[in-house]
């Protein structure tokens, strides 16, 4: 179908395109011209399908349905759009008083969602998003039928954040499916959504979701504001947005939580957080996020509370081991050997005989090797990945010890930190820990416990200076809130938790002086400021061109 | 100034850490022998009384720092030089504290690391934290107060379990009468560490609650006095008065007596950690007080003078004395010659003027 | 516009850059205090002997652990420890002297045993203690010993059966004996210092000696026979006046002294049976309180309160142990035994002229002002003051049997 217009219309269309540069393209009442415009706009892409029909009795009204193959739900298109268009021929009259698009929309089309539009740009974006546009000869109004669909991955178990007990469904790449997964769990009119398109080229649908009355209006307003300020070309993953809306960019710590699990999103919505769902990725952003949140798992609420507390303590402990494990070992052996029990010391000493590297270098080498291993294991195809980790962990580890290059105890320490990093439920927090670990290693190698202590002070101060959408990162520990401890390291039994309040509600109850103001310009990250500047620049360029 | 407010719990923790600071590890109240713990308690009481004076000034001028109300009360011509004198005091105290800390660290574990390097690392960390703001400093103190207290509880329990505590070593109480205790209080304990609270006059405008704030700080001071007294009593009960008296850091040998079946042993590194944390926060508070003073007197942005002031503190601490003995000796002299002037005389005059003014201004309408 | 967007990241970069510049030289200059473990020679015990001349007054022998021999896979079959000796006018000089022979840094952080020779102890140990207390590397929890009648060095070079490191062996022996049978108890560096400072008294320090073939004690041959040729053993208590050794306490005297110092955990006590033979008790708890009545400090009254708990361990006689009166009678005699031990201990202390028991401290706690008046001649008062002993012993049970079995006839 497209081929007919293809070669013949090209030069003309290009000429038309050139002529119209900078001028708003409009829908022509002449059907052929509209279609050519569309073809030209998308660069004669083969996946744009145009089906020209004549409605009503001969000669009938010329019409054309335009859609993008692959993105549309073919069944819906065939049955409810094309079928209903061509079958309801008796409706058509030649009465000029009748507005044909309205008539069709109101009487003929069987599809559930359809609208009339006359903005060229919006129509184009809709077609590119998978809708079907029906052009009618003689009208500048276009009927848009929601036929979005096509092939998506079906809902399956999430690959990260696994649980032993709990729901097994995970988000997919389709935003509609993702919204439905949340909706299915909250049958409440308070669940609100706002859609926006982000990315000047990708025009990715992004949905901001919150519970009215749970999330504070300040927060919702602030998120909206920051989302609106995002100006980038492409949004391929929620990470793109995450980096642009967070409070601060220069920190290893994540200040926005992401999850693949609808139940986690629901739980957090009810705690007053805002979710940002981005089309094309199963990872949904939750904000604001505080430090403790990264140590919570959906399973904590499925298990008994005492067991959940134990699991949480284990996770925090694993974080401490992750960042301090190798550095404490270095500090102990090279600075404070007197603290090691004598028999253990003798053991370590005999291991260290004939090892060529200083303990610090040894630790660095092993840690870096472990990072190689982990990176290789993650990126490799799953089948080979396992081989890599077996080869790395078992063979490399024992060979290195056998060869007398590394002491066995160092392999133990490194393996322990490695395992500890997997015990942290949030991957991005684990990565942060892995990075910080090297800093502490350096400090311990140079200054022993002095370095470690100062490093800890600086790290905690840094975490204290962080905010996630105005919420102090270390709350509710610092600033201390006793009522806030219900769900941090502790996880109180449900009957005690239900009386709990969300961090936002708690914040609202604080004395005015202690409330943290959100949303003034000063807290915006440099990235956002840069974005604003970029936008400003673009606007100026645009205006230049127009002149 | 008014925008940042610091909560009461954070003020409590920063005050407590500031008071514990170096005092926790050094041989405080050493002049009174085995009754050091009494003189610490009395010193704390005296310190709280002195602080009531500062609190009075604060209640009269809740939005002003010490520099602010000095200028207001005494006028610009007198007030600004006085404020500058205080800034110098704070810089000096910060520097002295850092020298204390780095030397003790060098004595305890880092025998070969140059003092300059130890101090540089410390002041850089402090500068980083203060760069993030005073609020961040106080919040961080909350976390580290917890760590210090945990170490304290752990050590006490371990000492009990290893059977090193002998309360007989604290007896007889006041064997030579009350005089040495009083002397120790007068010469040292009311000033160190309690009189040093004068620098909180620079921080108090950040208090989130004008009415309760000073009381919380006094509560923290009282807690500090109790903890310090307890620690010193513990040191003496473990080591005996003589050894405790002769050790510059009695907490270290005391803690090193911990030995649980030769597995948990030589945990004196915890004392070193407490020392580092204490010195860090104490120094940072002085540093912050000086910075606030500078920014107020010279009308400069707070962060602008951060690194120059850090450099200044570093230099003062390095050039302060040739040896630790000289340093301590000098400190002892300052303690009862110069510091009373700063910590008692000037605030006393201010209180007097404020009170008299208040008295008359109340009379007039009536 | 451009300029402003440049300057902002620039300012952010400056601080880390400056920090990096500050830190880099530190890293290049090396880590001052860092010492790799395989550069250390861990000293497990130190023997301090009196040299012949003043120029080498201090002869220090360091027992260094050869770790590979103890837990390494590549053991060469050599001795598990090595002994290095240094001489000097001071302790520190002797240490420096010894380090010339060692390939690694002599690290004193794990010294568990300090042995001083009897000869030195008789001369005075004050000067030795100063460095032990002052040095930050050494630990206050090291145990002190006096080598009885032989050079301290010998004790550091005796091969032992159980712990490959002789110093550890000594520690373990002390712990065993103090837990079950003895009057020896853990005595650490700071306790010795406090003991020396005791007015009119001094510390009591555990003695140690080797018995048997001392010639070959230091070689593996020592252990090749089932009965080791030379054995390292704990002996009596060395009683000091100030910092000088005055005499040795053994047997019941030593036990009485340890009781008075409240350091005995468990010990066997024997009571003579009327029918001949002995009845043995295990005294598993004894608490001693020393108080003083000192209104007149020139003539104080020292009150020793002792309460004990015991269990019958061995009593092959015809006594009816199920009769409370019999048990009562036995506990009275147990009490008498204890009182006897304490009296012996006090007598010996008076004979040696040293109040290492701590009667003076008791008086000082009671009447500090009076004590100040008399402390200069406390020695005289100690010789003559009245001591009242209040003892109380309870026999809690007779273990797994009541009466002893008798030969049926």
């Amino acid at each position: 179908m497209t081929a007919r217009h293809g070669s013949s219309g090209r030069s003309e269309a290009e000429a038309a395109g050139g002529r119209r540069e900078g001028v708003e393209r409009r829908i022509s009442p002449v059907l052929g011209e509209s279609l050519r415009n569309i073809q030209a706009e998308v660069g004669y892409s083969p996946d744009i399908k145009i089906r020209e029909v004549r409605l009503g009795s001969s000669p009938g009204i010329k019409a054309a349905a335009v859609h993008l193959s692959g993105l549309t739900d073919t069944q819906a298109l065939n049955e409810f759009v094309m079928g209903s268009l061509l079958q309801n021929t008796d409706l058509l009259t030649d009465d000029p008083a009748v507005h044909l698009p309205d008539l069709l929309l109101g009487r003929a089309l069987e599809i559930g969602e359809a609208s009339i539009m006359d903005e060229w740009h919006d129509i184009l974006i809709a077609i590119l998003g998978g809708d079907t546009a029906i052009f009618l000869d003689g009208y500048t109004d276009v009927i848009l039928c929601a036929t979005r669909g096509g092939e998506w991955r079906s809902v399956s178990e999430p690959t990260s954040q696994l649980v032993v007990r709990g729901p097994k469904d995970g988000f997919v790449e389709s935003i509609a499916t993702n919204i439905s997964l949340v909706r299915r769990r909250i049958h409440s009119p308070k669940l609100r959504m706002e859609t926006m398109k982000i990315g000047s080229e990708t025009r990715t649908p992004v949905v901001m979701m919150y519970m009215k009355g749970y999330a504070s209006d300040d927060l919702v307003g602030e998120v909206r504001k920051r989302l609106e300020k995002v100006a980038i070309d492409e949004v391929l993953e929620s990470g793109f947005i995450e980096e642009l809306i967070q409070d601060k960019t220069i920190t290893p710590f994540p200040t926005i939580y992401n999850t693949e699990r609808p139940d986690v999103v629901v739980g957090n919505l009810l705690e007053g957080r805002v979710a940002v769902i981005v089309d094309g990725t199963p990872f949904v952003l939750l904000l604001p996020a505080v430090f403790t949140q990264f140590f919570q798992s959906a399973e904590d609420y499925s298990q008994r509370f005492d067991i959940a507390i134990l699991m949480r303590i284990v996770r925090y402990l694993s974080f401490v081991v992750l960042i301090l494990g190798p550095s404490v070992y270095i500090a102990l052996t090279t600075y404070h050997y007197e603290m090691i029990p004598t028999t253990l010391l003798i053991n370590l000493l005999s291991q260290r005989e004939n090892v060529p590297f200083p303990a610090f270098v040894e630790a660095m080498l092993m840690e870096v090797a472990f990072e190689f291993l982990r990176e290789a294991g993650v990126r490799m195809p799953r089948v080979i990945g396992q081989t890599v980790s077996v080869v790395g962990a078992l063979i490399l580890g024992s060979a290195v010890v056998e060869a007398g290059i590394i002491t066995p105890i160092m392999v133990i320490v490194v393996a322990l930190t490695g395992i500890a990093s997997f015990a942290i439920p949030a991957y991005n927090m684990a990565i942060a820990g892995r990075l910080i670990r090297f800093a502490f290693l350096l400090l311990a190698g140079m200054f022993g416990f002095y370095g470690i202590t100062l490093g800890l002070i600086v790290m905690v101060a840094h975490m204290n200076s962080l905010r996630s959408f105005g919420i102090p990162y270390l709350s509710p520990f610092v600033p201390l809130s006793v009522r806030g401890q219900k769900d941090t390291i502790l996880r109180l039994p449900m009957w005690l938790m239900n009386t709990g309040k969300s961090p936002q509600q708690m914040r609202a109850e604080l004395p005015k002086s202690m409330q943290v103001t959100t949303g003034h310009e000063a807290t915006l990250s440099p990235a956002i400021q840069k974005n604003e500047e970029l936008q400003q620049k673009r606007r100026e360029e645009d205006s230049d061109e127009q002149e | 100034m008014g925008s940042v407010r610091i909560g009461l719990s954070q003020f409590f923790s920063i005050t407590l850490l500031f008071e514990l600071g170096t005092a926790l590890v050094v041989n405080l109240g050493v002049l009174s022998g085995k009754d050091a713990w009494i003189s610490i308690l009395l010193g704390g009481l005296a310190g709280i009384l002195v602080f009531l004076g500062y609190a009075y000034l604060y209640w009269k001028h809740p939005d002003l720092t010490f520099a602010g109300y000095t200028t207001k009360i005494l006028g610009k011509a007198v007030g600004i030089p006085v404020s500058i004198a205080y800034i110098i005091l704070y810089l000096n105290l910060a520097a002295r504290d850092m020298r204390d800390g780095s030397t003790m660290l060098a004595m305890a574990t880092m025998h070969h690391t140059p003092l300059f390097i130890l101090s540089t690392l410390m002041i850089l960390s402090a500068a980083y934290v203060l760069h993030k703001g005073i609020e961040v400093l106080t919040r961080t103190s909350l976390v580290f107060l917890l760590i210090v207290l945990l170490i304290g509880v752990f050590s006490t329990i371990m000492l009990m379990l290893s059977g090193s505590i002998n309360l007989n070593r604290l007896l007889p109480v006041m064997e030579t009468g009350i005089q040495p205790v009083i002397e120790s209080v007068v010469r040292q304990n009311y000033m160190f560490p309690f009189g040093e609270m004068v620098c909180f006059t620079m921080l108090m405008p950040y208090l989130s609650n004008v009415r309760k704030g000073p009381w919380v700080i006094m509560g923290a001071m009282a807690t500090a006095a109790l903890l310090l007294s307890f620690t010193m009593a513990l040191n003496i009960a473990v080591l005996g008065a003589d050894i405790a008296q002769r050790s510059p850091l009695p907490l270290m040998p005391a803690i090193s007596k911990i030995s649980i079946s030769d597995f948990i042993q030589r945990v004196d590194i915890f004392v070193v950690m407490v020392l580092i944390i204490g010195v860090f926060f104490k120094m940072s508070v002085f540093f912050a007080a000086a910075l606030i003073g500078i920014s107020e007197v010279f009308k400069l942005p707070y962060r602008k003078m951060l690194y120059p002031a850090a450099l200044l503190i570093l230099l003062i601490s390095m050039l302060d004395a040739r040896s630790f003995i000289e340093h301590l000796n000098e400190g002892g002299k300052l303690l009862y010659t110069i510091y009373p002037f700063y910590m008692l005389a000037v605030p006393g005059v201010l209180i007097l003027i404020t009170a008299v003014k208040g008295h008359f201004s109340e009379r007039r309408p009536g | 516009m451009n300029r402003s967007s440049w300057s902002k990241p620039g300012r952010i970069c400056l601080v880390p850059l400056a920090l990096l510049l500050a830190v880099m030289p530190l890293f290049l200059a090396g880590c001052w205090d860092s010492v790799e473990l395989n550069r250390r020679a861990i000293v497990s015990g130190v023997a301090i002997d009196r040299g012949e001349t003043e120029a080498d007054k201090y002869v220090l022998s360091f027992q260094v652990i050869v770790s590979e021999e103890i837990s390494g896979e590549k053991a060469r079959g050599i001795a598990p420890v090595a002994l290095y000796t240094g001489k000097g006018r001071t302790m520190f000089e002797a240490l420096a002297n010894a380090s010339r022979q060692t390939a690694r840094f002599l690290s004193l952080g794990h010294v568990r045993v300090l042995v001083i020779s009897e000869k030195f102890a008789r001369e005075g140990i004050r000067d030795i203690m100063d460095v032990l207390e002052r040095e930050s590397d050494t630990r206050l929890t090291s145990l002190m010993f006096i080598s009885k009648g032989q050079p301290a060095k010998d004790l550091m070079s005796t091969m032992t059966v159980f712990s490959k490191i002789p110093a550890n062996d000594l520690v373990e022996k002390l712990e065993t004996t103090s837990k079950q049978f003895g009057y020896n108890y853990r005595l650490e560096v700071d306790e010795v210092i406090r003991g020396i400072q005791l007015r009119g008294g001094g510390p009591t320090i555990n003695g140690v000696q080797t018995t048997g073939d001392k010639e070959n004690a230091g070689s593996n041959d020592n252990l090749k026979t089932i009965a080791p040729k030379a054995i390292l053993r704990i002996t009596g208590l060395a009683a000091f006046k100030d910092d000088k050794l005055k005499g040795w306490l053994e047997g019941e005297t030593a036990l009485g002294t340890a009781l008075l110092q409240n350091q005995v955990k468990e010990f066997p006590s024997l009571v003579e049976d009327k029918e001949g033979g002995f009845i043995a008790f295990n005294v598993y708890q004894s608490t001693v309180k020393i108080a003083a009545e000192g209104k007149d400090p020139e003539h104080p009254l020292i009150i020793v309160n002792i309460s004990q708990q015991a269990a019958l361990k061995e009593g092959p006689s015809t006594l009816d142990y199920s009769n409370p009166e019999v048990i009562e009678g036995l506990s009275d005699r147990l009490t008498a035994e204890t009182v006897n031990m304490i009296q012996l201990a006090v007598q010996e202390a008076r004979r040696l002229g040293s109040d290492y028991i701590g009667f003076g401290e008791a008086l000082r706690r009671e009447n500090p002002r009076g004590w100040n008046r008399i402390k200069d001649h406390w020695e005289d008062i100690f010789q003559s003051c009245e001591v009242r002993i209040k003892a109380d012993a309870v026999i809690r049970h007779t273990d797994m049997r009541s009466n002893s079995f008798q030969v049926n006839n």
Side-chain angles (χ1 to χ4, degrees), chain B residues 204-263:
Chain B
M204 279 199 288
Y206 292 105
L207 266 171
S208 63
N209 188 327
V210 174
R211 200 168 45 79
K212 276 194 210 154
W215 293 111
V216 167
I217 294 178
M218 280 182 254
M221 287 174 76
T223 316
L226 288 175
L227 285 177
L228 288 174
S229 171
F230 173 75
T231 310
M232 203 58 209
L234 197 69
N235 290 340
I236 293 167
V238 171
L239 296 173
D242 182 70
I243 297 181
Q245 229 167 340
R246 287 183 294 113
S247 319
L249 307 169
L251 192 59
M252 234 167 117
I255 296 296
S256 77
K257 286 288 286 178
I258 290 175
S259 172
I260 307 287
S261 61
D262 287 319
F263 180 73

Side-chain angles (χ1 to χ4, degrees), chain C residues 57-58 62 75 125 130 162 179 194 279 331 370 379 407:
Chain C
K57 182 179 177 186
Y58 296 90
F62 298 93
I125 58 171
D130 188 60
F162 281 109
K179 275 210 177 110
R194 278 194 297 274
I279 299 172
S331 61
E379 283 91 341
V407 181

Side-chain angles (χ1 to χ4, degrees), chain B residues 265-291:
Chain B
Q265 51 162 8
R266 289 301 293 268
V267 287
D268 29 351
I269 193 65
F270 285 146
V271 180
V272 175
M273 276 182 85
V274 168
L275 171 73
I276 299 166
I277 293 169
V279 168
F280 179 88
F281 282 98
K282 193 160 186 179
M283 196 255 299
S284 299
V285 169
F286 284 131
F287 191 178
L291 277 179

Side-chain angles (χ1 to χ4, degrees), chain A residues 127-299:
Chain A
I127 294 173
L128 290 174
D131 285 347
T132 303
I134 299 168
F135 290 82
L136 295 164
D137 194 26
Y139 292 96
T140 55
D141 284 340
V142 173
I143 307 174
L144 280 177
C145 305
T147 52
R148 284 166 196 240
E151 292 305 311
W152 285 105
R153 189 165 65 91
S154 59
V155 173
S156 58
E157 199 175 345
T159 49
S160 63
Q161 298 173 324
L162 298 176
V163 292
V164 175
R165 179 181 166 182
K168 300 276 185 186
D169 57 343
F171 285 125
V172 292
E173 284 75 8
S174 154
I175 195 167
T177 317
N178 290 351
I179 292 170
S180 73
L181 286 174
V182 176
R183 267 284 188 211
R184 212 166 276 171
R185 286 180 166 82
I186 309 181
H187 305 277
S188 163
K190 285 183 191 155
L191 181 66
R192 300 292 160 83
M193 286 173 225
E194 288 172 25
T195 315
M196 48 190 92
K197 298 238 159 106
I198 299 180
S200 54
E201 297 306 323
T202 57
R203 309 290 300 165
T204 312
V206 172
V207 166
M208 177 175 97
M209 199 184 262
Y210 60 92
M211 290 290 286
K212 185 88 185 155
Y214 284 75
S216 74
D217 293 341
D218 281 2
L219 176 68
V220 174
E222 177 68 18
V223 177
R224 189 184 297 126
K225 202 166 110 194
R226 290 195 195 178
L227 280 174
E228 278 164 1
K229 278 194 178 130
V230 170
I232 49 172
D233 289 344
E234 76 281 347
V235 178
L236 305 181
E237 214 279 320
S238 48
F240 287 64
I241 291 184
E242 177 180 342
E243 217 166 287
L244 290 171
I245 59 173
Q246 68 190 7
D247 288 55
K248 197 165 191 176
T249 47
I250 310 173
T251 173
F253 292 102
T255 52
I256 291 176
Y257 190 76
N258 67 66
T259 182
E260 256 188 293
R261 306 185 55 85
D263 52 331
V264 172
V265 170
V266 170
N268 280 293
L269 286 175
L270 291 170
E271 280 173 23
R273 294 205 172 80
V274 174
V276 174
I277 307 176
V278 177
D279 194 31
T281 175
F283 290 95
V284 171
L285 302 181
L286 285 167
L287 38 95
V290 291
F291 183 67
T292 55
Q293 206 178 339
F294 294 90
F295 293 88
Q296 296 174 357
S297 153
E299 199 167 350

Side-chain angles (χ1 to χ4, degrees), chain C residues 115-370:
Chain C
V115 185
I116 301 174
S117 72
E118 182 171 348
K119 195 175 162 198
F120 218 142
R122 288 199 185 271
E123 201 175 301
I125 58 171
R126 195 191 82 95
D127 301 352
I128 295 172
M129 302 313 293
D130 188 60
V131 70
L132 295 181
E133 171 186 57
R134 197 180 290 278
E135 171 64 45
S136 70
D137 209 18
T138 59
R139 41 175 68 190
L140 286 180
T141 46
S142 304
L143 300 178
M144 300 281 299
F145 290 93
I146 305 290
S147 73
K148 190 178 179 185
Q150 66 189 118
K153 190 180 173 182
D154 287 4
L155 298 157
M156 287 286 109
S157 55
T158 302
M159 280 281 209
T160 51
V161 180
F162 281 109
S163 186
K164 284 182 180 171
I165 304 163
N168 281 7
D169 184 76
L170 198 55
V171 174
E172 282 160 20
K173 276 175 180 160
L174 178 70
E175 270 163 14
T176 324
T177 170
S178 96
K179 275 210 177 110
Q180 282 196 329
F181 297 114
Y183 42 78
N184 297 96
Y185 50 89
R186 285 183 72 99
L187 193 82
E188 299 175 353
V189 173
D190 58 324
E191 285 165 273
V192 173
I193 292 169
R194 278 194 297 274
I196 293 174
Q197 288 183 307
L198 212 59
R199 174 70 203 100
T204 48
I205 306 180
N206 296 305
V208 63
Q209 66 183 148
T210 49
T211 53
D213 177 14
K214 289 173 194 166
E215 288 298 307
N216 290 321
S219 106
N220 257 338
D221 295 341
N222 188 29
L223 307 177
K224 285 197 173 150
T225 51
I226 288 179
K229 285 177 187 147
I231 292 181
L232 196 62
R233 67 172 75 215
I234 313 275
T235 63
L237 289 174
F240 280 68
K241 169 75 200 297
D242 298 333
D243 66 331
K244 294 185 179 61
L245 191 146
K246 288 293 171 193
W248 290 91
L249 312 176
E250 307 261 358
E252 298 205 322
T253 319
L255 200 51
T257 310
L259 276 175
L260 280 170
Q261 283 167 338
N262 215 356
Q263 294 282 11
V264 177
K265 291 195 181 96
E266 203 172 286
F267 69 97
S269 184
L270 301 189
V271 168
E272 219 169 313
D273 192 8
K274 280 168 193 150
E275 303 165 15
F278 290 91
I279 299 172
F281 294 92
N282 182 27
V283 182
Y284 59 84
Q285 198 194 354
S286 42
T287 323
V288 178
K289 279 191 187 118
I290 301 177
E293 267 179 30
K295 294 223 174 58
D296 172 13
E298 294 288 344
H299 304 285
L301 167 66
I302 308 292
I303 302 159
V304 178
N305 260 310
I306 177 160
S307 63
Q308 292 181 315
Q309 293 182 22
L312 183 75
K313 278 286 168 188
E314 194 180 356
S317 77
T318 54
L319 287 174
D320 179 13
Y321 294 128
S322 54
N323 184 352
E325 280 170 26
V326 173
I327 296 293
E328 199 62 29
L330 282 174
S331 61
D332 282 349
R333 289 173 49 203
L334 199 59
T335 312
E337 189 63 29
T338 307
V339 170
N340 178 38
M341 276 184 216
I342 288 172
Q343 271 165 349
L344 278 175
V346 174
Q347 269 170 26
E348 185 65 15
R350 283 181 173 159
R351 195 181 66 78
L352 294 172
S354 169
D355 174 25
Y356 48 78
I357 301 164
F359 284 173
E361 276 298 298
L363 180 62
R364 180 183 174 194
R365 281 198 290 275
E366 180 61 34
N367 184 355
R369 281 167 201 279

Side-chain angles (χ1 to χ4, degrees), chain B residues 50-63:
Chain B
V50 172
F51 186 81
L52 264 176
Y54 307 151
Y56 172 80
L57 285 173
Y58 166 70
W59 278 318
K60 290 280 169 196
H61 315 272
D63 292 326

